PDB file of all heavy atoms in Angstrom:
ATOM      1  N   SER A   7     -77.061 -41.194  73.849  1.00  0.00           N
ATOM      2  CA  SER A   7     -78.141 -40.283  73.451  1.00  0.00           C
ATOM      3  C   SER A   7     -77.660 -38.838  73.370  1.00  0.00           C
ATOM      4  O   SER A   7     -78.231 -38.020  72.672  1.00  0.00           O
ATOM      5  CB  SER A   7     -79.309 -40.373  74.427  1.00  0.00           C
ATOM      6  OG  SER A   7     -78.924 -39.934  75.697  1.00  0.00           O
ATOM      7  N   ALA A   8     -76.608 -38.520  74.065  1.00  0.00           N
ATOM      8  CA  ALA A   8     -76.112 -37.154  74.063  1.00  0.00           C
ATOM      9  C   ALA A   8     -75.593 -36.718  72.709  1.00  0.00           C
ATOM     10  O   ALA A   8     -75.563 -35.546  72.390  1.00  0.00           O
ATOM     11  CB  ALA A   8     -75.009 -36.984  75.129  1.00  0.00           C
ATOM     12  N   LEU A   9     -75.161 -37.685  71.892  1.00  0.00           N
ATOM     13  CA  LEU A   9     -74.634 -37.341  70.588  1.00  0.00           C
ATOM     14  C   LEU A   9     -75.733 -37.073  69.570  1.00  0.00           C
ATOM     15  O   LEU A   9     -75.464 -36.548  68.497  1.00  0.00           O
ATOM     16  CB  LEU A   9     -73.764 -38.493  70.048  1.00  0.00           C
ATOM     17  CG  LEU A   9     -72.313 -38.522  70.559  1.00  0.00           C
ATOM     18  CD1 LEU A   9     -71.576 -39.658  69.910  1.00  0.00           C
ATOM     19  CD2 LEU A   9     -71.615 -37.205  70.307  1.00  0.00           C
ATOM     20  N   ALA A  10     -76.981 -37.418  69.905  1.00  0.00           N
ATOM     21  CA  ALA A  10     -78.071 -37.258  68.959  1.00  0.00           C
ATOM     22  C   ALA A  10     -78.200 -35.849  68.410  1.00  0.00           C
ATOM     23  O   ALA A  10     -78.374 -35.656  67.205  1.00  0.00           O
ATOM     24  CB  ALA A  10     -79.400 -37.718  69.578  1.00  0.00           C
ATOM     25  N   PRO A  11     -78.141 -34.798  69.250  1.00  0.00           N
ATOM     26  CA  PRO A  11     -78.255 -33.444  68.702  1.00  0.00           C
ATOM     27  C   PRO A  11     -77.154 -33.117  67.691  1.00  0.00           C
ATOM     28  O   PRO A  11     -77.387 -32.395  66.739  1.00  0.00           O
ATOM     29  CB  PRO A  11     -78.151 -32.542  69.935  1.00  0.00           C
ATOM     30  CG  PRO A  11     -78.539 -33.416  71.060  1.00  0.00           C
ATOM     31  CD  PRO A  11     -78.039 -34.788  70.700  1.00  0.00           C
ATOM     32  N   LEU A  12     -75.921 -33.662  67.941  1.00  0.00           N
ATOM     33  CA  LEU A  12     -74.840 -33.399  67.023  1.00  0.00           C
ATOM     34  C   LEU A  12     -75.100 -34.060  65.690  1.00  0.00           C
ATOM     35  O   LEU A  12     -74.891 -33.483  64.629  1.00  0.00           O
ATOM     36  CB  LEU A  12     -73.510 -33.907  67.610  1.00  0.00           C
ATOM     37  CG  LEU A  12     -73.085 -33.257  68.941  1.00  0.00           C
ATOM     38  CD1 LEU A  12     -71.775 -33.881  69.400  1.00  0.00           C
ATOM     39  CD2 LEU A  12     -72.941 -31.766  68.797  1.00  0.00           C
ATOM     40  N   VAL A  13     -75.565 -35.319  65.723  1.00  0.00           N
ATOM     41  CA  VAL A  13     -75.854 -36.054  64.490  1.00  0.00           C
ATOM     42  C   VAL A  13     -77.003 -35.391  63.732  1.00  0.00           C
ATOM     43  O   VAL A  13     -76.965 -35.250  62.519  1.00  0.00           O
ATOM     44  CB  VAL A  13     -76.220 -37.514  64.810  1.00  0.00           C
ATOM     45  CG1 VAL A  13     -76.634 -38.250  63.547  1.00  0.00           C
ATOM     46  CG2 VAL A  13     -75.049 -38.222  65.470  1.00  0.00           C
ATOM     47  N   ALA A  14     -78.032 -34.967  64.503  1.00  0.00           N
ATOM     48  CA  ALA A  14     -79.206 -34.358  63.855  1.00  0.00           C
ATOM     49  C   ALA A  14     -78.865 -33.074  63.148  1.00  0.00           C
ATOM     50  O   ALA A  14     -79.525 -32.683  62.184  1.00  0.00           O
ATOM     51  CB  ALA A  14     -80.295 -34.092  64.895  1.00  0.00           C
ATOM     52  N   SER A  15     -77.824 -32.373  63.607  1.00  0.00           N
ATOM     53  CA  SER A  15     -77.507 -31.072  63.022  1.00  0.00           C
ATOM     54  C   SER A  15     -76.529 -31.168  61.864  1.00  0.00           C
ATOM     55  O   SER A  15     -76.155 -30.148  61.295  1.00  0.00           O
ATOM     56  CB  SER A  15     -76.924 -30.151  64.092  1.00  0.00           C
ATOM     57  OG  SER A  15     -75.732 -30.702  64.595  1.00  0.00           O
ATOM     58  N   LEU A  16     -76.064 -32.395  61.537  1.00  0.00           N
ATOM     59  CA  LEU A  16     -75.114 -32.553  60.438  1.00  0.00           C
ATOM     60  C   LEU A  16     -75.758 -32.208  59.109  1.00  0.00           C
ATOM     61  O   LEU A  16     -76.905 -32.542  58.852  1.00  0.00           O
ATOM     62  CB  LEU A  16     -74.590 -33.993  60.389  1.00  0.00           C
ATOM     63  CG  LEU A  16     -73.687 -34.423  61.564  1.00  0.00           C
ATOM     64  CD1 LEU A  16     -73.306 -35.877  61.391  1.00  0.00           C
ATOM     65  CD2 LEU A  16     -72.436 -33.548  61.612  1.00  0.00           C
ATOM     66  N   ALA A  17     -75.040 -31.551  58.257  1.00  0.00           N
ATOM     67  CA  ALA A  17     -75.550 -31.224  56.912  1.00  0.00           C
ATOM     68  C   ALA A  17     -74.641 -31.882  55.889  1.00  0.00           C
ATOM     69  O   ALA A  17     -73.450 -32.093  56.147  1.00  0.00           O
ATOM     70  CB  ALA A  17     -75.567 -29.713  56.706  1.00  0.00           C
ATOM     71  N   PRO A  18     -75.154 -32.220  54.694  1.00  0.00           N
ATOM     72  CA  PRO A  18     -74.317 -32.855  53.684  1.00  0.00           C
ATOM     73  C   PRO A  18     -73.232 -31.912  53.180  1.00  0.00           C
ATOM     74  O   PRO A  18     -73.406 -30.700  53.157  1.00  0.00           O
ATOM     75  CB  PRO A  18     -75.311 -33.172  52.572  1.00  0.00           C
ATOM     76  CG  PRO A  18     -76.412 -32.196  52.751  1.00  0.00           C
ATOM     77  CD  PRO A  18     -76.507 -31.984  54.235  1.00  0.00           C
ATOM     78  N   THR A  19     -72.096 -32.496  52.785  1.00  0.00           N
ATOM     79  CA  THR A  19     -71.010 -31.687  52.249  1.00  0.00           C
ATOM     80  C   THR A  19     -71.400 -31.168  50.863  1.00  0.00           C
ATOM     81  O   THR A  19     -71.966 -31.886  50.068  1.00  0.00           O
ATOM     82  CB  THR A  19     -69.731 -32.546  52.116  1.00  0.00           C
ATOM     83  OG1 THR A  19     -69.412 -33.065  53.411  1.00  0.00           O
ATOM     84  CG2 THR A  19     -68.580 -31.725  51.587  1.00  0.00           C
ATOM     85  N   THR A  94     -78.227 -27.388  50.203  1.00  0.00           N
ATOM     86  CA  THR A  94     -77.554 -26.698  51.311  1.00  0.00           C
ATOM     87  C   THR A  94     -78.370 -26.667  52.602  1.00  0.00           C
ATOM     88  O   THR A  94     -77.805 -26.416  53.654  1.00  0.00           O
ATOM     89  CB  THR A  94     -77.258 -25.236  50.926  1.00  0.00           C
ATOM     90  OG1 THR A  94     -78.501 -24.561  50.671  1.00  0.00           O
ATOM     91  CG2 THR A  94     -76.404 -25.164  49.668  1.00  0.00           C
ATOM     92  N   GLY A  95     -79.669 -26.871  52.513  1.00  0.00           N
ATOM     93  CA  GLY A  95     -80.498 -26.788  53.711  1.00  0.00           C
ATOM     94  C   GLY A  95     -80.927 -25.376  54.052  1.00  0.00           C
ATOM     95  O   GLY A  95     -81.542 -25.159  55.093  1.00  0.00           O
ATOM     96  N   GLY A 122     -84.916 -22.447  58.923  1.00  0.00           N
ATOM     97  CA  GLY A 122     -84.978 -23.873  59.205  1.00  0.00           C
ATOM     98  C   GLY A 122     -83.744 -24.348  59.939  1.00  0.00           C
ATOM     99  O   GLY A 122     -83.828 -25.165  60.873  1.00  0.00           O
ATOM    100  N   ALA A 123     -82.555 -23.835  59.555  1.00  0.00           N
ATOM    101  CA  ALA A 123     -81.314 -24.232  60.216  1.00  0.00           C
ATOM    102  C   ALA A 123     -81.287 -23.761  61.661  1.00  0.00           C
ATOM    103  O   ALA A 123     -80.861 -24.485  62.568  1.00  0.00           O
ATOM    104  CB  ALA A 123     -80.120 -23.686  59.462  1.00  0.00           C
ATOM    105  N   GLU A 124     -81.764 -22.544  61.913  1.00  0.00           N
ATOM    106  CA  GLU A 124     -81.756 -21.985  63.273  1.00  0.00           C
ATOM    107  C   GLU A 124     -82.657 -22.780  64.199  1.00  0.00           C
ATOM    108  O   GLU A 124     -82.360 -22.970  65.383  1.00  0.00           O
ATOM    109  CB  GLU A 124     -82.197 -20.529  63.231  1.00  0.00           C
ATOM    110  CG  GLU A 124     -82.118 -19.792  64.570  1.00  0.00           C
ATOM    111  CD  GLU A 124     -80.686 -19.534  65.015  1.00  0.00           C
ATOM    112  OE1 GLU A 124     -79.758 -19.657  64.193  1.00  0.00           O
ATOM    113  OE2 GLU A 124     -80.496 -19.204  66.186  1.00  0.00           O
ATOM    114  N   SER A 125     -83.779 -23.272  63.660  1.00  0.00           N
ATOM    115  CA  SER A 125     -84.725 -24.031  64.473  1.00  0.00           C
ATOM    116  C   SER A 125     -84.513 -25.535  64.375  1.00  0.00           C
ATOM    117  O   SER A 125     -85.262 -26.316  64.966  1.00  0.00           O
ATOM    118  CB  SER A 125     -86.161 -23.713  64.042  1.00  0.00           C
ATOM    119  OG  SER A 125     -86.342 -23.968  62.652  1.00  0.00           O
ATOM    120  N   ASN A 126     -83.470 -25.965  63.638  1.00  0.00           N
ATOM    121  CA  ASN A 126     -83.138 -27.397  63.492  1.00  0.00           C
ATOM    122  C   ASN A 126     -84.275 -28.152  62.828  1.00  0.00           C
ATOM    123  O   ASN A 126     -84.550 -29.299  63.184  1.00  0.00           O
ATOM    124  CB  ASN A 126     -82.813 -27.997  64.856  1.00  0.00           C
ATOM    125  CG  ASN A 126     -81.781 -29.111  64.749  1.00  0.00           C
ATOM    126  OD1 ASN A 126     -81.402 -29.498  63.641  1.00  0.00           O
ATOM    127  ND2 ASN A 126     -81.354 -29.639  65.860  1.00  0.00           N
ATOM    128  N   LEU A 127     -84.967 -27.519  61.886  1.00  0.00           N
ATOM    129  CA  LEU A 127     -86.120 -28.155  61.206  1.00  0.00           C
ATOM    130  C   LEU A 127     -85.906 -28.155  59.702  1.00  0.00           C
ATOM    131  O   LEU A 127     -86.739 -27.696  58.943  1.00  0.00           O
ATOM    132  CB  LEU A 127     -87.401 -27.424  61.581  1.00  0.00           C
ATOM    133  CG  LEU A 127     -87.875 -27.625  63.012  1.00  0.00           C
ATOM    134  CD1 LEU A 127     -88.966 -26.636  63.381  1.00  0.00           C
ATOM    135  CD2 LEU A 127     -88.380 -29.061  63.206  1.00  0.00           C
ATOM    136  N   VAL A 128     -84.770 -28.669  59.267  1.00  0.00           N
ATOM    137  CA  VAL A 128     -84.434 -28.734  57.857  1.00  0.00           C
ATOM    138  C   VAL A 128     -84.905 -30.060  57.266  1.00  0.00           C
ATOM    139  O   VAL A 128     -84.756 -31.106  57.900  1.00  0.00           O
ATOM    140  CB  VAL A 128     -82.916 -28.582  57.641  1.00  0.00           C
ATOM    141  CG1 VAL A 128     -82.542 -28.766  56.181  1.00  0.00           C
ATOM    142  CG2 VAL A 128     -82.463 -27.212  58.137  1.00  0.00           C
ATOM    143  N   VAL A 129     -85.488 -30.041  56.080  1.00  0.00           N
ATOM    144  CA  VAL A 129     -85.885 -31.253  55.379  1.00  0.00           C
ATOM    145  C   VAL A 129     -84.935 -31.433  54.205  1.00  0.00           C
ATOM    146  O   VAL A 129     -84.870 -30.598  53.306  1.00  0.00           O
ATOM    147  CB  VAL A 129     -87.338 -31.151  54.865  1.00  0.00           C
ATOM    148  CG1 VAL A 129     -87.718 -32.384  54.068  1.00  0.00           C
ATOM    149  CG2 VAL A 129     -88.302 -30.965  56.033  1.00  0.00           C
ATOM    150  N   MET A 130     -84.178 -32.545  54.237  1.00  0.00           N
ATOM    151  CA  MET A 130     -83.187 -32.813  53.197  1.00  0.00           C
ATOM    152  C   MET A 130     -83.715 -33.848  52.199  1.00  0.00           C
ATOM    153  O   MET A 130     -84.735 -34.487  52.448  1.00  0.00           O
ATOM    154  CB  MET A 130     -81.878 -33.327  53.834  1.00  0.00           C
ATOM    155  CG  MET A 130     -81.265 -32.365  54.850  1.00  0.00           C
ATOM    156  SD  MET A 130     -80.850 -30.748  54.174  1.00  0.00           S
ATOM    157  CE  MET A 130     -79.578 -31.158  52.971  1.00  0.00           C
ATOM    158  N   PHE A 134     -80.294 -38.429  51.224  1.00  0.00           N
ATOM    159  CA  PHE A 134     -79.351 -37.984  52.261  1.00  0.00           C
ATOM    160  C   PHE A 134     -79.292 -39.019  53.370  1.00  0.00           C
ATOM    161  O   PHE A 134     -78.237 -39.340  53.907  1.00  0.00           O
ATOM    162  CB  PHE A 134     -79.780 -36.626  52.809  1.00  0.00           C
ATOM    163  CG  PHE A 134     -78.951 -36.147  53.971  1.00  0.00           C
ATOM    164  CD1 PHE A 134     -77.583 -35.990  53.855  1.00  0.00           C
ATOM    165  CD2 PHE A 134     -79.562 -35.863  55.191  1.00  0.00           C
ATOM    166  CE1 PHE A 134     -76.832 -35.546  54.939  1.00  0.00           C
ATOM    167  CE2 PHE A 134     -78.803 -35.420  56.266  1.00  0.00           C
ATOM    168  CZ  PHE A 134     -77.446 -35.263  56.141  1.00  0.00           C
ATOM    169  N   ASP A 135     -80.457 -39.560  53.759  1.00  0.00           N
ATOM    170  CA  ASP A 135     -80.532 -40.625  54.751  1.00  0.00           C
ATOM    171  C   ASP A 135     -81.834 -41.386  54.505  1.00  0.00           C
ATOM    172  O   ASP A 135     -82.886 -41.035  55.040  1.00  0.00           O
ATOM    173  CB  ASP A 135     -80.524 -40.049  56.165  1.00  0.00           C
ATOM    174  CG  ASP A 135     -80.444 -41.127  57.243  1.00  0.00           C
ATOM    175  OD1 ASP A 135     -80.617 -42.323  56.911  1.00  0.00           O
ATOM    176  OD2 ASP A 135     -80.203 -40.807  58.424  1.00  0.00           O
ATOM    177  N   LEU A 138     -84.198 -42.380  57.357  1.00  0.00           N
ATOM    178  CA  LEU A 138     -84.763 -41.354  58.222  1.00  0.00           C
ATOM    179  C   LEU A 138     -86.078 -40.816  57.660  1.00  0.00           C
ATOM    180  O   LEU A 138     -86.144 -40.379  56.504  1.00  0.00           O
ATOM    181  CB  LEU A 138     -83.767 -40.210  58.382  1.00  0.00           C
ATOM    182  CG  LEU A 138     -84.147 -39.084  59.327  1.00  0.00           C
ATOM    183  CD1 LEU A 138     -84.258 -39.595  60.754  1.00  0.00           C
ATOM    184  CD2 LEU A 138     -83.110 -37.961  59.270  1.00  0.00           C
ATOM    185  N   GLN A 140     -87.953 -37.959  57.585  1.00  0.00           N
ATOM    186  CA  GLN A 140     -87.808 -36.552  57.920  1.00  0.00           C
ATOM    187  C   GLN A 140     -89.150 -35.834  58.056  1.00  0.00           C
ATOM    188  O   GLN A 140     -89.298 -34.935  58.880  1.00  0.00           O
ATOM    189  CB  GLN A 140     -86.958 -35.853  56.843  1.00  0.00           C
ATOM    190  CG  GLN A 140     -85.551 -36.415  56.758  1.00  0.00           C
ATOM    191  CD  GLN A 140     -84.695 -35.646  55.786  1.00  0.00           C
ATOM    192  OE1 GLN A 140     -84.336 -34.507  56.044  1.00  0.00           O
ATOM    193  NE2 GLN A 140     -84.361 -36.252  54.681  1.00  0.00           N
ATOM    194  N   ARG A 143     -90.500 -36.485  61.483  1.00  0.00           N
ATOM    195  CA  ARG A 143     -89.768 -35.678  62.475  1.00  0.00           C
ATOM    196  C   ARG A 143     -90.281 -34.245  62.464  1.00  0.00           C
ATOM    197  O   ARG A 143     -90.408 -33.608  63.512  1.00  0.00           O
ATOM    198  CB  ARG A 143     -88.273 -35.699  62.176  1.00  0.00           C
ATOM    199  CG  ARG A 143     -87.571 -36.977  62.616  1.00  0.00           C
ATOM    200  CD  ARG A 143     -86.269 -37.208  61.867  1.00  0.00           C
ATOM    201  NE  ARG A 143     -85.370 -36.070  61.916  1.00  0.00           N
ATOM    202  CZ  ARG A 143     -84.168 -36.103  62.492  1.00  0.00           C
ATOM    203  NH1 ARG A 143     -83.753 -37.196  63.083  1.00  0.00           N
ATOM    204  NH2 ARG A 143     -83.390 -35.057  62.459  1.00  0.00           N
ATOM    205  N   ARG A 177     -80.248 -19.110  72.771  1.00  0.00           N
ATOM    206  CA  ARG A 177     -79.688 -18.840  71.442  1.00  0.00           C
ATOM    207  C   ARG A 177     -80.204 -17.555  70.823  1.00  0.00           C
ATOM    208  O   ARG A 177     -79.709 -17.113  69.805  1.00  0.00           O
ATOM    209  CB  ARG A 177     -79.973 -20.019  70.515  1.00  0.00           C
ATOM    210  CG  ARG A 177     -79.181 -21.275  70.839  1.00  0.00           C
ATOM    211  CD  ARG A 177     -79.146 -22.212  69.658  1.00  0.00           C
ATOM    212  NE  ARG A 177     -78.605 -21.566  68.464  1.00  0.00           N
ATOM    213  CZ  ARG A 177     -78.583 -22.153  67.265  1.00  0.00           C
ATOM    214  NH1 ARG A 177     -79.083 -23.342  67.114  1.00  0.00           N
ATOM    215  NH2 ARG A 177     -78.072 -21.524  66.227  1.00  0.00           N
ATOM    216  N   ARG A 200     -87.172 -29.577  68.000  1.00  0.00           N
ATOM    217  CA  ARG A 200     -86.367 -30.643  67.423  1.00  0.00           C
ATOM    218  C   ARG A 200     -84.937 -30.393  67.860  1.00  0.00           C
ATOM    219  O   ARG A 200     -84.128 -29.838  67.110  1.00  0.00           O
ATOM    220  CB  ARG A 200     -86.507 -30.667  65.892  1.00  0.00           C
ATOM    221  CG  ARG A 200     -85.741 -31.815  65.238  1.00  0.00           C
ATOM    222  CD  ARG A 200     -86.285 -33.170  65.650  1.00  0.00           C
ATOM    223  NE  ARG A 200     -85.382 -34.231  65.280  1.00  0.00           N
ATOM    224  CZ  ARG A 200     -85.460 -35.462  65.759  1.00  0.00           C
ATOM    225  NH1 ARG A 200     -86.422 -35.774  66.622  1.00  0.00           N
ATOM    226  NH2 ARG A 200     -84.611 -36.392  65.400  1.00  0.00           N
ATOM    227  N   TYR A 201     -84.631 -30.732  69.112  1.00  0.00           N
ATOM    228  CA  TYR A 201     -83.352 -30.432  69.768  1.00  0.00           C
ATOM    229  C   TYR A 201     -83.156 -28.959  70.029  1.00  0.00           C
ATOM    230  O   TYR A 201     -82.369 -28.568  70.863  1.00  0.00           O
ATOM    231  CB  TYR A 201     -82.167 -31.011  68.993  1.00  0.00           C
ATOM    232  CG  TYR A 201     -82.180 -32.521  68.918  1.00  0.00           C
ATOM    233  CD1 TYR A 201     -82.325 -33.187  67.717  1.00  0.00           C
ATOM    234  CD2 TYR A 201     -82.083 -33.275  70.072  1.00  0.00           C
ATOM    235  CE1 TYR A 201     -82.357 -34.567  67.645  1.00  0.00           C
ATOM    236  CE2 TYR A 201     -82.120 -34.660  70.040  1.00  0.00           C
ATOM    237  CZ  TYR A 201     -82.257 -35.297  68.821  1.00  0.00           C
ATOM    238  OH  TYR A 201     -82.311 -36.664  68.771  1.00  0.00           O
ATOM    239  N   THR A 202     -83.871 -28.112  69.294  1.00  0.00           N
ATOM    240  CA  THR A 202     -83.895 -26.678  69.532  1.00  0.00           C
ATOM    241  C   THR A 202     -85.341 -26.269  69.793  1.00  0.00           C
ATOM    242  O   THR A 202     -86.215 -26.600  68.996  1.00  0.00           O
ATOM    243  CB  THR A 202     -83.352 -25.896  68.334  1.00  0.00           C
ATOM    244  OG1 THR A 202     -81.989 -26.255  68.098  1.00  0.00           O
ATOM    245  CG2 THR A 202     -83.433 -24.410  68.547  1.00  0.00           C
ATOM    246  N   GLN A 223     -81.585 -24.313  73.680  1.00  0.00           N
ATOM    247  CA  GLN A 223     -81.045 -25.646  73.366  1.00  0.00           C
ATOM    248  C   GLN A 223     -80.519 -26.345  74.624  1.00  0.00           C
ATOM    249  O   GLN A 223     -80.584 -25.800  75.718  1.00  0.00           O
ATOM    250  CB  GLN A 223     -79.906 -25.522  72.368  1.00  0.00           C
ATOM    251  CG  GLN A 223     -80.337 -25.273  70.944  1.00  0.00           C
ATOM    252  CD  GLN A 223     -79.147 -25.324  69.999  1.00  0.00           C
ATOM    253  OE1 GLN A 223     -78.037 -24.936  70.357  1.00  0.00           O
ATOM    254  NE2 GLN A 223     -79.368 -25.772  68.770  1.00  0.00           N
ATOM    255  N   ASN A 224     -80.025 -27.578  74.412  1.00  0.00           N
ATOM    256  CA  ASN A 224     -79.379 -28.437  75.430  1.00  0.00           C
ATOM    257  C   ASN A 224     -80.361 -29.341  76.181  1.00  0.00           C
ATOM    258  O   ASN A 224     -79.963 -29.979  77.154  1.00  0.00           O
ATOM    259  CB  ASN A 224     -78.585 -27.617  76.449  1.00  0.00           C
ATOM    260  CG  ASN A 224     -77.209 -27.248  75.939  1.00  0.00           C
ATOM    261  OD1 ASN A 224     -76.925 -27.417  74.755  1.00  0.00           O
ATOM    262  ND2 ASN A 224     -76.370 -26.737  76.812  1.00  0.00           N
ATOM    263  N   ALA A 226     -81.798 -32.187  75.134  1.00  0.00           N
ATOM    264  CA  ALA A 226     -81.497 -33.615  74.943  1.00  0.00           C
ATOM    265  C   ALA A 226     -80.159 -33.984  75.586  1.00  0.00           C
ATOM    266  O   ALA A 226     -80.039 -35.007  76.265  1.00  0.00           O
ATOM    267  CB  ALA A 226     -81.469 -33.957  73.461  1.00  0.00           C
ATOM    268  N   PHE A 260     -70.419 -35.556  78.762  1.00  0.00           N
ATOM    269  CA  PHE A 260     -70.615 -35.152  77.373  1.00  0.00           C
ATOM    270  C   PHE A 260     -69.275 -34.816  76.705  1.00  0.00           C
ATOM    271  O   PHE A 260     -69.017 -35.244  75.579  1.00  0.00           O
ATOM    272  CB  PHE A 260     -71.562 -33.949  77.320  1.00  0.00           C
ATOM    273  CG  PHE A 260     -71.977 -33.553  75.924  1.00  0.00           C
ATOM    274  CD1 PHE A 260     -73.101 -34.102  75.336  1.00  0.00           C
ATOM    275  CD2 PHE A 260     -71.216 -32.642  75.205  1.00  0.00           C
ATOM    276  CE1 PHE A 260     -73.463 -33.747  74.044  1.00  0.00           C
ATOM    277  CE2 PHE A 260     -71.580 -32.280  73.909  1.00  0.00           C
ATOM    278  CZ  PHE A 260     -72.713 -32.835  73.315  1.00  0.00           C
ATOM    279  N   VAL A 300     -63.878 -28.171  68.280  1.00  0.00           N
ATOM    280  CA  VAL A 300     -64.518 -27.353  69.285  1.00  0.00           C
ATOM    281  C   VAL A 300     -65.791 -28.052  69.737  1.00  0.00           C
ATOM    282  O   VAL A 300     -66.583 -28.511  68.924  1.00  0.00           O
ATOM    283  CB  VAL A 300     -64.877 -25.967  68.723  1.00  0.00           C
ATOM    284  CG1 VAL A 300     -65.624 -25.147  69.758  1.00  0.00           C
ATOM    285  CG2 VAL A 300     -63.604 -25.246  68.303  1.00  0.00           C
ATOM    286  N   LYS A 301     -65.996 -28.157  71.031  1.00  0.00           N
ATOM    287  CA  LYS A 301     -67.155 -28.884  71.559  1.00  0.00           C
ATOM    288  C   LYS A 301     -68.382 -27.987  71.553  1.00  0.00           C
ATOM    289  O   LYS A 301     -68.351 -26.866  72.010  1.00  0.00           O
ATOM    290  CB  LYS A 301     -66.870 -29.368  72.978  1.00  0.00           C
ATOM    291  CG  LYS A 301     -65.719 -30.381  72.988  1.00  0.00           C
ATOM    292  CD  LYS A 301     -65.170 -30.538  74.385  1.00  0.00           C
ATOM    293  CE  LYS A 301     -63.907 -31.353  74.371  1.00  0.00           C
ATOM    294  NZ  LYS A 301     -63.185 -31.323  75.609  1.00  0.00           N
ATOM    295  N   LYS A 302     -69.472 -28.526  71.041  1.00  0.00           N
ATOM    296  CA  LYS A 302     -70.721 -27.792  71.013  1.00  0.00           C
ATOM    297  C   LYS A 302     -71.790 -28.617  71.667  1.00  0.00           C
ATOM    298  O   LYS A 302     -71.757 -29.835  71.642  1.00  0.00           O
ATOM    299  CB  LYS A 302     -71.139 -27.448  69.568  1.00  0.00           C
ATOM    300  CG  LYS A 302     -70.160 -26.537  68.872  1.00  0.00           C
ATOM    301  CD  LYS A 302     -70.640 -26.224  67.458  1.00  0.00           C
ATOM    302  CE  LYS A 302     -69.672 -25.297  66.751  1.00  0.00           C
ATOM    303  NZ  LYS A 302     -70.126 -25.012  65.375  1.00  0.00           N
ATOM    304  N   ARG A 303     -72.775 -27.931  72.223  1.00  0.00           N
ATOM    305  CA  ARG A 303     -73.922 -28.635  72.792  1.00  0.00           C
ATOM    306  C   ARG A 303     -75.158 -28.100  72.150  1.00  0.00           C
ATOM    307  O   ARG A 303     -75.943 -27.460  72.662  1.00  0.00           O
ATOM    308  CB  ARG A 303     -73.976 -28.487  74.297  1.00  0.00           C
ATOM    309  CG  ARG A 303     -72.804 -29.199  74.965  1.00  0.00           C
ATOM    310  CD  ARG A 303     -72.973 -29.190  76.470  1.00  0.00           C
ATOM    311  NE  ARG A 303     -71.790 -29.718  77.068  1.00  0.00           N
ATOM    312  CZ  ARG A 303     -70.744 -28.997  77.427  1.00  0.00           C
ATOM    313  NH1 ARG A 303     -70.763 -27.709  77.220  1.00  0.00           N
ATOM    314  NH2 ARG A 303     -69.696 -29.538  77.966  1.00  0.00           N
TER     315      ARG A 303
END
Side-chain angles (χ1 to χ4, degrees):
S7 64
L9 278 183
L12 299 179
V13 176
S15 62
L16 291 177
T19 302
T94 63
E124 186 70 14
S125 57
N126 212 355
L127 289 167
V128 175
V129 177
M130 301 302 295
F134 174 59
D135 187 348
L138 184 63
Q140 297 185 70
R143 282 158 53 117
R177 288 199 57 186
R200 183 64 194 164
Y201 296 116
T202 298
Q223 284 186 326
N224 278 12
F260 187 90
V300 177
K301 296 163 189 168
K302 297 181 179 179
R303 293 188 187 90

